[in-house]
Amino acid sequence: MRCFPPNLGSCSRPILSLPIMSALSAVARIAYLASDVVVDSQPTLPAVSAFSETYGSLADASQHKPKLLSAPLGADPGEIIVRNADAGLVSFTTSSHSQVLTSLVLRLAEISSRPIVLHIAVKDDLSDAITLRSAVPYFLLSCTAQEAHDNALLASRLARTERKAVVHAFYSGLSQDALSEIPEEKILPFLLSPKHPASPGHVTPINGDSNGAPAELLDDPTLVALYKSYEAAALETLSQIRRPLKPLSTLGPADPHTVLLIFGQAAPLPEVEGVRYVFHSLLGPFLPSRLLNAIPASAKRVIVLEQVRRWATKWLPLYLEVVSALQQRDIQNRPVVQSGVLGSAEGIAAADIQGLLDEAASTTSLATRLHLGVALSTDPEATQIPHVPKHELAYTKILSHLFNERLEVVNSPSLVPSQGQVATSPEYALGRVRGQLDLRADLVSAVQELLQDSSVSAQLHSLLAKWMLAKDDSVKSKALGIQIIQALESVPVAHPAAASVLALKSHFPALSRWIIGSDAWSYDLGASGLHHAIASGLNVNILILDTLPYSQRNSGDPHRRKHDVGLYAMNHGDVYVASVAVFSSYSQVLQALMEADRFQGPSVVLAYLPYTKEDVPALEVLRETKLAVDAGYWPLYRWDPAKEQAGKEPFSLDSDALKNDLRTFLDRQNHLSQLTRASPQLAAELVGSLGEQVKAARRARAQKAYGELVSALDRPPLLVLYASDGGAAEKVAKRLAGRGKARGLATTVAAMDTVPLESLKEEEYVAFVTSVAGQGEPPQNGRQLFKALNAAVARGETPLEKLKYTVFGMGDSHYWPRPEDAHYYNKPGKDLDARLEKLGGERIAALGLGDDQDADGWKTGYAVWEPLLWKALRVDAVEVTEAEPEPITNEHIKAASGYLRGTIAEGLEDTSTGALAPSDTQLTKFHGIYQQDDRDIRDERQAQGVEPAYSFMIRVRMPGGVCKPSQWLQMDQIADEHGSGTFKITTRQTFQFHGVIKRHLKPAIQDINRVLLDTLAACGDVNRNVVCSSIPTLSKLHDEVYQFSKDVSEHLIPRTTAYHEIWLDKKLVAGDALKDHEPLYGEFYLPRKFKIAVAVPPTNDVDVFANDLGFIAIVGKNGELEGFNVTVGGGMGVTHGNKKTYPRIADVVGFCTPEQGRFVAEAVMLTQRDNGNRADRKNARLKYTIDRMGLDAFKADFEKRLGFKLQPARPFSFDRNVDDYGWHTGEDGRHHYTVFIENGRIQDEPGRDFKTGLREIAKVHKGTFRLTTNQHLLVSDIADEDLPEIKRLLSKYRLDNLNHSGLRLASSACVAFPTCGLAMAESERYLPLLIDKVEKMCEANGLRNDSIVMRMTGCPNGCARPYIAEVAFVGKAPGTYSMLLGGGYYGQRMNKIYRETVTEPEILAILEPMIKRYALERLPGERFGDFTIRAGYISATTPGKEWYVGMGGEGQWREPVSAA
């Protein structure tokens, strides 16, 4: 379709071999290449702008790089345009959208006098675009792709030379055309070339015009000047494109009786006798003289055809201008002017034109609109429901869950089909709220009138009075309303107010009204809409979603910072304000939303949801949220003015970090100054900064170091810098520094990142020691220096010409066995050595490489490297007579701890840091506490110059995993008050809390103690939590093994009083008259941890063979417990690449009676205490002791301690190690339900409020809870009479949902990132996502209900017992795992490494054919692990020492291994 016939306009010349391009692409290309700033309007998410594809390709290919900005739908594009107008030419591109173009109208006064081009892509309707015409100097219309290209260039030239705005509307719904385009290199020179002097031109017709115009006709001089500028620019453009650009063109006879003025897109129209067509491409400036020239005096009728679908006024927009122009003719030559709508002109024939003429002739009123062509269809976008991105459902689901039927999202996208796109705008929504509240006020008035009517029955009067008192109650208002309606409908009341009440009956319930500000469908809520809502004083809640990720905070629009809206709202004084983040604190979100709903007045809840695209994984959203909250960019807080009225503090800080501007606001309030006087400690927490305290402590340490440095100036200096994650490289660096001091050198040792490049320039001698992290990456505390060095190399600088250096790298040549991965070996050390040389440094000793695979590990390479360093420093001849100090190990720390006291108590009082001393962190493990930090934000905090976000993990000691309801409720409360809001069921059948900061440690442990639990010996080199089978059906037997587990645990518990002193404030006897004594452990305790499990066949749910010591229950024919088979030597921990470490399954060594069990446990543990390897913790577990001593010798030793020999082992059999889900009834008639808790995480999330559900169950439950070692939960010992209520609660909170695949039900994962300090890869957060993909393979092959044991850990220490799973993944680096196959289904056989390094695509590629083959070829009853061995994928694992034999697969499945 074209505006002009084939012989007219810009497309009349033949075109050969020209590129095919759409109008959209042509305009986008010119806009990008011609502009200094491009503002691109975005459609409703998840769609992207029609121009974006062209912009993306140009950004990669073009030399010209304008500033490219996005204007989300609902934003104020005019404000963005005007703000950037000073930068030069601004081009705005948008598809025609009423909301976008209407918002521009308000800014046209500012836009019109600036160099701005508004490119508007229209389909078949000019209704929205034409609204801009009256306020801008120039309005161009293009109907073909070639015209769009040419007019876009002309518009850019006009805007630059005249410094005025140009609207360029073009039709986009065209097929791609052959297009002659101007080369890129010519565009800017043409646009920036000086303007040629304007020619006099011929604008106004001469006297005696043949068309009958009056001789004195003059156009508006302002319009004439604009028109001349247009003509000049058009001529200049012609010189570049060699195609004329005509403001209007005509087709038809010179003396027509009818003229059709076409304003829009029309196909070539048929020739009709006496009819002339006039096509317009310049709609502004609109010169009457030019129009009159095109309309001969012979014309008796003029029909103005405008392609507009929607126009609210009587006359169409251009009709009156045509009439006005023709009024200048004398009345004898003045034609009849009629208005018409131009529809789709495709296929218009001569008969259609004749029909239009007949209709025009027969119409008696000029106000009647004529029609030509097919009527324009309704715009589908006007009723299209905006898409709500899936991540935003996190908040909308919470609202639905909290308020159910009460919830009304006033600007819900679901209203669009009935009320149009305007329904989602905040202003419209606020109007709806006002209308609803006014109607409810009318209802209240009507109810009050009825209460005054004496004829109303006593029952109805009572109901009305009750409703008046409870009208704001969410539950009562609805229930009473229903009763009132029923009463009025059953017994009519004559009073007029009764009819009003019935008419307004829908307003009886107290609704929770929410306006949601979403970037996807109501973006502009942060601007005027918010101000109107706050100022209105209406009881309305506003939820504003901010989706800008923290890592991209500097790339966002600095003039529109949503997270500052809270300050504005708080300054208003009478508005409830909260800042929340669902991926940081779910409970705080719930609390804030409920408080906002209760508040009588406007409420503003700012909700953080950082994502850029809908397919961004939830893990990335979580990471960005953590960064923002921890850095103080997005503080979590609540501000409730209602509390202030009640005399309470209105501000509640729910996160540890405050933004500076928020702190300024709070400092301005007298609330905090009063609080400072009343409670100085609390006030300091609110207004103080942890980072400032840390910096002060660091300054003090730096001052001390400076003093030491000054005193050592007279000795040769050596700086030793290390980068170390696990501590090995740090120990080597400190050892090197110590040996340097012994040679008379002034040595200093520090982490690499503590020395910036600027300081490194001034150093003379530096020795670098680095290990490897991830896939050949530098460790965390060296990454900043590595980045600085890389950047300096990229810039070609040589700042280290004074530096003399050497590097020692530590790695494992077998860690990356594949040939393509071999370069990761010692990569940081090699890279560092090369970078330092490129930066001008002088290498004084060759690069040293320590390899864990060498006979002495890293020491082999170190022994060669270190003498080279001493020789370069000329101290190699110095005789060192002083013995090298023995390195401090865990054994020293334990011996010097005063029976586990250390300086823990003093460290808890130190508020300058969130951490404890390194030696104390080893001791707190014995107290059930691990120090951790949030690894998601470790890099960000380091960049900010503050210490890591330290927190602690607390593990409860709960032998046998049985918990009372009161204890469960306390655990739930501790998670909320002291932890991260969630807690975890561990693989040791107990509770674990994460995110406990230092000042909350003691209160948390005291709360645990209040319900008769403790954390002593839950971790550390002692016997840990004793686990036992859950066996729901055998009630009496469970009671016996549970009691046995408790007895063993109590028998082996450490006897130190340090735990009670430090955590429970139980003081020592004065003068230390009473000394601690450890009768079993002694002052050194055990060499390593010691784990005990009790299993009850046929279920091996505790994986008894994976434990140091195991007891397998032997049950007699009468069901009585006869005793236990004893197993010894199981253990899971491994070190990647260190073949001296391996997993091992336990050996059965005999039988003991229940009474003998605890003494057997003692004897085995004492044999390990006295024979375990205390020199090497990696080889200190019982499994290594047995393999070193020999099983027979080990057994003889502990039997000697026992004083008797074990009886021969008795027969037993296992058939599974997964939990038995669902309902079971015990021998005593009590009921048990096994709940599936994926990876043991007790938390609330949309659709799965497990934490809340279990809390509600605990409130009414009269039995117990049993935790399983597979991280699931039994609601146990339910009486018949309590069964219905428990079932109701299980159903209500979806805890009874077992509709999962057999694979998922048999899966397990450790915590790993972000809290575990040992994690190398994701585990708990990633395994469910991997299972989503693998279970699709299982379902496709008919294996949905087949149980396959799959486990994942983030490191090789094996907390989730991966080495006995049928399929397992052990983390090596982020996104990279070792893959293991061949474990036994009931834990009787270890698996083996099948692939040493795999990523997700490789995992899926391996498993898909393997699972398919298993489905087709398995034998009856054959398990997946057994099949992988029989099918030849992997060999069966024999003793643990031979675990590495056959790794990498068998036969054709064998993995190629690097020569390294």
Side-chain angles (χ1 to χ4, degrees):
M1 297 175 70
R2 327 158 59 108
C3 288
F4 304 118
N7 62 331
L8 294 174
S10 61
C11 298
S12 58
R13 297 165 60 243
I15 300 173
L16 298 174
S17 302
L18 298 178
I20 304 299
M21 187 177 291
S22 68
L24 278 166
S25 298
V27 171
R29 177 177 177 272
I30 295 297
Y32 187 91
L33 298 176
S35 308
D36 299 292
V37 178
V38 177
V39 180
D40 187 26
S41 178
Q42 300 298 313
T44 303
L45 293 175
V48 296
S49 158
F51 303 87
S52 61
E53 183 178 357
T54 303
Y55 290 151
S57 61
L58 287 169
D60 295 332
S62 173
Q63 296 297 316
H64 180 61
K65 305 290 183 185
K67 183 178 181 182
L68 184 60
L69 302 173
S70 292
L73 183 65
D76 183 357
E79 189 268 338
I80 301 174
I81 294 168
V82 171
R83 184 173 3 105
N84 288 278
D86 292 337
L89 177 64
V90 179
S91 289
F92 174 67
T93 52
T94 181
S95 295
S96 182
H97 191 289
S98 58
Q99 184 177 349
V100 174
L101 299 182
T102 301
S103 67
L104 278 177
V105 170
L106 300 175
R107 297 275 186 175
L108 286 181
E110 297 173 84
I111 289 174
S112 62
S113 59
R114 300 186 182 216
I116 295 169
V117 181
L118 308 176
H119 296 285
I120 304 170
V122 299
K123 289 185 178 178
D124 54 7
D125 180 20
L126 292 172
S127 301
D128 296 319
I130 207 75
T131 58
L132 307 180
R133 175 179 165 274
S134 60
V136 292
Y138 300 100
F139 192 112
L140 311 182
L141 178 64
S142 301
C143 297
T144 68
Q146 187 67 68
E147 284 180 1
H149 169 275
D150 296 348
N151 275 332
L153 186 64
L154 170 59
S156 301
R157 173 67 178 179
L158 258 179
R160 277 199 184 270
T161 57
E162 303 303 319
R163 302 197 64 77
K164 290 183 172 59
V166 182
V167 173
H168 173 216
F170 64 96
Y171 285 88
S172 61
L174 301 168
S175 60
Q176 295 187 339
D177 295 336
L179 191 71
S180 175
E181 61 181 19
I182 183 172
E184 175 182 343
E185 61 272 14
K186 290 187 177 182
I187 293 177
L188 279 180
F190 163 60
L191 296 178
L192 298 174
S193 62
K195 184 169 63 170
H196 295 276
S199 61
H202 176 69
V203 177
T204 305
I206 59 174
N207 293 342
D209 176 277
S210 62
N211 290 339
E216 294 80 12
L217 174 63
L218 290 176
D219 290 319
D220 184 326
T222 303
L223 295 181
V224 171
L226 291 173
Y227 195 89
K228 286 185 176 182
S229 297
Y230 166 81
E231 285 187 322
L235 286 172
E236 291 163 345
T237 307
L238 169 65
S239 68
Q240 298 295 319
I241 61 176
R242 302 302 178 187
R243 287 179 296 277
L245 292 166
K246 299 182 178 181
L248 60 81
S249 297
T250 62
L251 174 66
D255 54 349
H257 56 74
T258 302
V259 174
L260 301 185
L261 301 183
I262 307 296
F263 296 97
Q265 184 186 47
L269 297 175
E271 293 186 13
V272 177
E273 186 179 355
V275 176
R276 181 185 234 192
Y277 305 108
V278 180
F279 302 91
H280 293 264
S281 66
L282 179 67
L283 275 58
F286 194 83
L287 289 188
S289 61
R290 282 287 180 165
L291 179 64
L292 294 179
N293 279 342
I295 302 175
S298 62
K300 303 303 180 186
R301 189 181 304 276
V302 174
I303 302 176
V304 183
L305 293 174
E306 303 177 54
Q307 202 161 35
V308 290
R309 179 191 297 125
R310 304 179 311 277
W311 201 259
T313 58
K314 180 178 181 180
W315 307 108
L316 294 180
L318 290 162
Y319 172 75
L320 291 178
E321 294 203 35
V322 174
V323 171
S324 176
L326 289 170
Q327 290 294 321
Q328 299 187 47
R329 283 190 178 175
D330 56 63
I331 195 166
Q332 294 84 6
N333 294 314
R334 192 178 303 163
V336 174
V337 185
Q338 292 175 277
S339 176
V341 175
L342 176 64
S344 174
E346 191 73 47
I348 292 179
D352 298 313
I353 302 295
Q354 191 58 52
L356 175 68
L357 300 181
D358 293 343
E359 182 186 2
S362 62
T363 299
T364 57
S365 172
L366 294 179
T368 302
R369 288 183 185 171
L370 307 175
H371 291 83
L372 177 64
V374 179
L376 299 175
S377 60
T378 304
D379 184 3
E381 293 184 358
T383 58
Q384 181 181 357
I385 298 178
H387 172 73
V388 179
K390 66 177 182 180
H391 291 299
E392 294 191 6
L393 295 177
Y395 286 104
T396 54
K397 281 185 177 179
I398 293 174
L399 289 174
S400 300
H401 171 74
L402 283 177
F403 306 119
N404 296 317
E405 297 176 356
R406 292 182 53 226
L407 175 66
E408 180 170 6
V409 178
V410 193
N411 64 333
S412 169
S414 62
L415 298 170
V416 169
S418 59
Q419 302 182 30
Q421 291 287 347
V422 70
T424 63
S425 70
E427 289 83 358
Y428 181 86
L430 190 63
R432 286 192 69 219
V433 171
R434 184 178 292 278
Q436 292 173 359
L437 294 178
D438 287 346
L439 290 173
R440 196 163 199 258
D442 293 342
L443 174 63
V444 171
S445 299
V447 169
Q448 289 174 333
E449 285 187 49
L450 270 185
L451 284 171
Q452 304 300 320
D453 184 7
S454 57
S455 65
V456 171
S457 67
Q459 179 187 4
L460 179 58
H461 190 280
S462 174
L463 289 173
L464 293 170
K466 288 180 180 178
W467 183 83
M468 286 297 297
L469 293 173
K471 66 180 185 297
D472 295 324
D473 186 287
S474 58
V475 178
K476 294 180 180 178
S477 62
K478 180 181 179 181
L480 289 168
I482 293 172
Q483 296 179 55
I484 292 170
I485 294 167
Q486 291 173 346
L488 286 173
E489 290 177 342
S490 59
V491 181
V493 177
H495 195 287
S500 299
V501 169
L502 287 175
L504 298 168
K505 62 184 180 182
S506 63
H507 297 282
F508 270 113
L511 299 180
S512 181
R513 295 179 174 85
W514 290 83
I515 299 175
I516 299 182
S518 159
D519 285 354
W521 43 276
S522 55
Y523 185 87
D524 198 35
L525 189 50
S528 59
L530 180 70
H531 170 75
H532 294 153
I534 290 175
S536 71
L538 297 175
N539 187 13
V540 61
N541 307 300
I542 303 169
L543 179 69
I544 299 178
L545 302 179
D546 192 340
T547 61
L548 180 66
Y550 175 75
S551 59
Q552 300 178 24
R553 62 196 182 280
N554 295 326
S555 63
D557 183 354
H559 299 269
R560 193 177 186 283
R561 290 151 47 100
K562 284 191 182 180
H563 58 290
D564 289 339
V565 165
L567 294 174
Y568 166 70
M570 282 194 288
N571 274 300
H572 206 271
D574 57 354
V575 181
Y576 176 91
V577 183
S579 176
V580 303
V582 69
F583 280 85
S584 176
S585 176
Y586 183 80
S587 59
Q588 192 247 359
V589 175
L590 296 179
Q591 188 171 6
L593 296 180
M594 289 188 290
E595 288 179 354
D597 177 62
R598 286 196 298 266
F599 185 75
Q600 296 300 306
S603 299
V604 176
V605 179
L606 309 171
Y608 196 49
L609 193 67
Y611 72 97
T612 52
K613 296 184 294 186
E614 193 165 11
D615 58 358
V616 169
L619 280 179
E620 182 63 20
V621 180
L622 173 65
R623 190 186 73 83
E624 290 286 351
T625 302
K626 283 189 170 185
L627 286 172
V629 173
D630 183 77
Y633 171 82
W634 193 273
L636 307 182
Y637 63 84
R638 288 165 290 126
W639 171 273
D640 190 350
K643 290 184 179 179
E644 185 176 19
Q645 296 171 4
K648 300 177 181 178
E649 171 58 41
F651 183 78
S652 300
L653 178 64
D654 299 316
S655 62
D656 287 337
L658 272 175
K659 278 172 46 191
N660 289 332
D661 43 7
L662 180 58
R663 184 181 287 111
T664 301
F665 169 81
L666 293 174
D667 289 343
R668 197 173 64 244
Q669 305 298 308
N670 60 9
H671 311 300
L672 280 186
S673 61
Q674 294 170 3
L675 185 60
T676 303
R677 291 193 294 272
S679 179
Q681 182 180 2
L682 180 59
E685 291 175 3
L686 284 173
V687 302
S689 168
L690 178 61
E692 291 170 3
Q693 296 170 10
V694 171
K695 289 176 183 176
R698 284 183 174 174
R699 282 194 294 270
R701 287 196 291 269
Q703 187 65 35
K704 179 182 177 183
Y706 176 74
E708 294 175 351
L709 180 64
V710 169
S711 65
L713 285 178
D714 59 334
R715 288 172 281 167
L718 173 65
L719 174 62
V720 182
L721 296 179
Y722 64 84
S724 175
D725 275 344
E730 180 179 357
K731 290 178 181 177
V732 171
K734 290 179 177 177
R735 180 176 186 265
L736 178 67
R739 292 166 70 85
K741 284 183 180 178
R743 285 164 172 78
L745 298 174
T747 59
T748 307
V749 64
M752 288 187 192
D753 280 351
T754 62
V755 179
L757 182 58
E758 292 300 318
S759 299
L760 192 61
K761 294 177 185 178
E762 306 305 319
E763 297 293 338
E764 187 175 0
Y765 291 99
V766 181
F768 296 87
V769 181
T770 179
S771 56
V772 185
Q775 287 185 297
E777 299 163 5
Q780 289 276 356
N781 55 0
R783 291 183 182 177
Q784 297 303 317
L785 180 60
F786 269 77
K787 289 178 183 177
L789 295 175
N790 289 336
V793 169
R795 294 192 296 267
E797 299 174 355
T798 55
L800 303 181
E801 293 176 344
K802 290 174 55 178
L803 180 69
K804 298 177 178 60
Y805 74 92
T806 182
V807 177
F808 182 71
M810 300 172 63
D812 183 346
S813 60
H814 197 68
Y815 196 84
W816 301 102
R818 299 188 303 186
E820 61 268 31
D821 295 334
H823 65 285
Y824 292 137
Y825 164 63
N826 253 320
K827 187 173 185 295
K830 296 174 183 176
D831 289 349
L832 179 60
D833 184 68
R835 300 291 186 277
L836 294 171
E837 184 179 34
K838 284 187 177 180
L839 294 174
E842 177 187 346
R843 186 184 295 107
I844 57 172
L847 170 67
L849 297 178
D851 188 352
D852 285 348
Q853 297 303 313
D854 287 339
D856 291 328
W858 60 267
K859 294 179 182 178
T860 302
Y862 183 84
V864 176
W865 173 79
E866 187 192 281
L868 298 177
L869 173 61
W870 302 145
K871 185 175 183 180
L873 296 174
R874 299 179 181 178
V875 293
D876 54 318
V878 175
E879 183 179 353
V880 180
T881 56
E882 196 176 319
E884 185 176 336
E886 185 181 353
I888 296 176
T889 66
N890 282 53
E891 299 304 311
H892 296 96
I893 293 171
K894 287 184 284 187
S897 69
Y899 292 99
L900 308 183
R901 287 175 175 80
T903 57
I904 297 172
E906 293 81 357
L908 293 173
E909 300 298 322
D910 181 5
T911 59
S912 68
T913 174
L916 292 172
S919 60
D920 287 337
T921 62
Q922 298 301 320
L923 298 175
T924 54
K925 296 176 183 179
F926 293 80
H927 300 258
I929 300 165
Y930 276 83
Q931 179 173 295
Q932 302 175 330
D933 74 284
D934 192 333
R935 295 178 64 181
D936 281 347
I937 57 176
R938 186 185 283 176
D939 286 347
E940 183 67 24
R941 290 184 66 85
Q942 188 171 4
Q944 293 173 350
V946 297
E947 70 177 9
Y950 288 116
S951 65
F952 295 82
M953 179 271 282
I954 299 177
R955 186 181 294 153
V956 178
R957 183 178 68 93
M958 194 168 65
V962 176
C963 167
K964 298 175 182 178
S966 60
Q967 292 171 328
W968 183 279
L969 290 172
Q970 185 77 325
M971 300 303 107
D972 182 276
Q973 182 177 341
I974 290 169
D976 287 339
E977 293 183 357
H978 304 299
S980 61
T982 72
F983 57 106
K984 186 174 174 70
I985 298 173
T986 76
T987 55
R988 294 304 297 173
Q989 210 172 30
T990 186
F991 298 111
Q992 196 162 285
F993 304 97
H994 291 271
V996 182
I997 59 177
K998 188 166 74 173
R999 68 171 181 268
H1000 282 269
L1001 277 176
K1002 185 180 283 190
I1005 291 179
Q1006 290 175 346
D1007 286 348
I1008 291 170
N1009 184 258
R1010 287 190 184 96
V1011 287
L1012 305 181
L1013 293 173
D1014 60 51
T1015 66
L1016 178 61
C1019 322
D1021 298 340
V1022 289
N1023 173 58
R1024 299 196 178 182
N1025 201 53
V1026 179
V1027 299
C1028 76
S1029 291
S1030 301
I1031 47 171
T1033 54
L1034 304 175
S1035 307
K1036 182 181 177 183
L1037 185 58
H1038 179 265
D1039 287 344
E1040 290 179 300
V1041 296
Y1042 169 57
Q1043 188 59 50
F1044 176 80
S1045 302
K1046 289 177 62 179
D1047 291 344
V1048 171
S1049 180
E1050 291 302 321
H1051 186 70
L1052 302 181
I1053 196 78
R1055 304 304 176 191
T1056 177
T1057 60
Y1059 181 84
H1060 297 82
E1061 289 172 34
I1062 296 170
W1063 307 110
L1064 306 179
D1065 295 328
K1066 304 284 180 67
K1067 302 300 182 185
L1068 274 175
V1069 176
D1072 293 344
L1074 182 64
K1075 295 291 185 181
D1076 264 340
H1077 174 59
E1078 287 286 9
L1080 295 180
Y1081 293 104
E1083 63 177 353
F1084 289 98
Y1085 293 84
L1086 298 182
R1088 283 291 266 119
K1089 58 189 173 186
F1090 192 83
K1091 295 182 177 181
I1092 300 176
V1094 184
V1096 180
T1099 303
N1100 186 21
D1101 55 343
V1102 297
D1103 280 329
V1104 67
F1105 299 113
N1107 288 265
D1108 297 87
L1109 175 63
F1111 293 94
I1112 301 173
I1114 304 298
V1115 182
K1117 295 180 180 179
N1118 59 357
E1120 296 293 326
L1121 177 65
E1122 295 182 349
F1124 301 93
N1125 281 350
V1126 179
T1127 68
V1128 296
M1132 292 288 95
V1134 174
T1135 299
H1136 280 313
N1138 185 349
K1139 292 188 178 181
K1140 296 178 183 178
T1141 66
Y1142 47 82
R1144 188 184 192 278
I1145 59 173
D1147 297 296
V1148 180
V1149 293
F1151 172 87
C1152 71
T1153 65
E1155 294 75 23
Q1156 294 171 333
R1158 58 178 174 166
F1159 301 109
V1160 171
E1162 176 185 327
V1164 172
M1165 190 183 79
L1166 294 182
T1167 299
Q1168 162 65 356
R1169 180 197 69 185
D1170 296 341
N1171 294 279
N1173 184 353
R1174 294 181 182 270
D1176 183 0
R1177 286 182 65 80
K1178 291 181 180 179
N1179 278 91
R1181 287 288 296 274
L1182 177 64
K1183 57 184 176 180
Y1184 304 116
T1185 305
I1186 291 175
D1187 283 346
R1188 190 176 64 255
M1189 293 178 63
L1191 182 62
D1192 292 340
F1194 182 86
K1195 181 181 177 184
D1197 188 293
F1198 78 73
E1199 285 183 333
K1200 181 179 179 182
R1201 296 172 191 264
L1202 269 176
F1204 61 86
K1205 291 184 179 294
L1206 298 179
Q1207 301 175 40
R1210 302 187 183 183
F1212 68 95
S1213 66
F1214 289 120
D1215 61 13
R1216 63 191 181 279
N1217 66 359
V1218 297
D1219 291 333
D1220 297 323
Y1221 298 101
W1223 285 105
H1224 303 276
T1225 302
E1227 300 163 321
D1228 58 358
R1230 291 187 173 265
H1231 307 282
H1232 312 262
Y1233 186 82
T1234 305
V1235 182
F1236 173 71
I1237 309 285
E1238 190 159 30
N1239 299 319
R1241 180 65 63 182
I1242 306 296
Q1243 64 182 353
D1244 283 342
E1245 51 187 323
R1248 293 195 300 181
D1249 291 332
F1250 286 3
K1251 185 168 180 286
T1252 298
L1254 291 168
R1255 183 193 313 126
E1256 295 305 311
I1257 289 173
K1259 290 177 181 177
V1260 300
H1261 186 34
K1262 299 171 186 173
T1264 60
F1265 294 98
R1266 299 182 194 173
L1267 283 60
T1268 80
T1269 57
N1270 289 317
Q1271 302 176 288
H1272 305 300
L1273 177 70
L1274 278 76
V1275 184
S1276 292
D1277 302 313
I1278 307 168
D1280 289 341
E1281 61 270 20
D1282 300 324
L1283 202 55
E1285 178 63 8
I1286 297 297
K1287 284 186 174 181
R1288 185 188 70 82
L1289 290 170
L1290 286 170
S1291 176
K1292 177 179 178 181
Y1293 293 100
R1294 300 185 65 185
L1295 288 159
D1296 59 352
N1297 178 24
L1298 296 177
N1299 186 27
H1300 302 290
S1301 66
L1303 175 70
R1304 192 176 296 274
L1305 291 172
S1307 67
S1308 183
C1310 69
V1311 177
F1313 289 140
T1315 51
C1316 179
L1318 301 175
M1320 302 173 180
E1322 291 283 0
S1323 181
E1324 179 190 333
R1325 299 193 296 193
Y1326 171 59
L1327 182 60
L1329 305 178
L1330 179 63
I1331 289 178
D1332 287 342
K1333 299 171 183 178
V1334 177
E1335 67 184 356
K1336 290 179 182 177
M1337 301 175 188
C1338 294
E1339 291 173 1
N1341 290 283
L1343 300 176
R1344 173 177 169 77
N1345 297 319
D1346 288 73
S1347 180
I1348 300 175
V1349 179
M1350 178 182 285
R1351 293 175 180 169
M1352 177 178 283
T1353 57
C1355 77
N1357 289 304
C1359 292
R1361 306 187 296 277
Y1363 303 111
I1364 48 176
E1366 295 181 285
V1367 187
F1369 302 97
V1370 177
K1372 296 190 75 174
T1376 305
Y1377 300 84
S1378 291
M1379 180 177 183
L1380 301 93
L1381 293 177
Y1385 179 69
Y1386 51 89
Q1388 82 282 14
R1389 180 182 64 243
M1390 287 184 292
N1391 52 29
K1392 187 169 289 186
I1393 296 175
Y1394 180 66
R1395 293 290 183 265
E1396 285 203 73
T1397 306
V1398 291
T1399 58
E1400 182 180 288
E1402 294 166 314
I1403 291 170
L1404 300 178
I1406 291 170
L1407 285 178
E1408 187 166 21
M1410 194 179 290
I1411 289 172
K1412 183 177 182 179
R1413 188 179 172 196
Y1414 171 59
L1416 294 173
E1417 300 178 14
R1418 61 179 171 167
L1419 302 176
E1422 186 176 31
R1423 293 293 176 180
F1424 184 77
D1426 301 328
F1427 168 78
T1428 59
I1429 294 172
R1430 184 179 63 81
Y1433 290 103
I1434 199 79
S1435 61
T1437 302
T1438 45
K1441 287 192 291 187
E1442 299 178 18
W1443 185 62
Y1444 294 95
V1445 176
M1447 63 181 286
E1450 292 290 305
Q1452 63 175 311
W1453 314 110
R1454 187 156 184 80
E1455 178 183 29
V1457 179
S1458 166

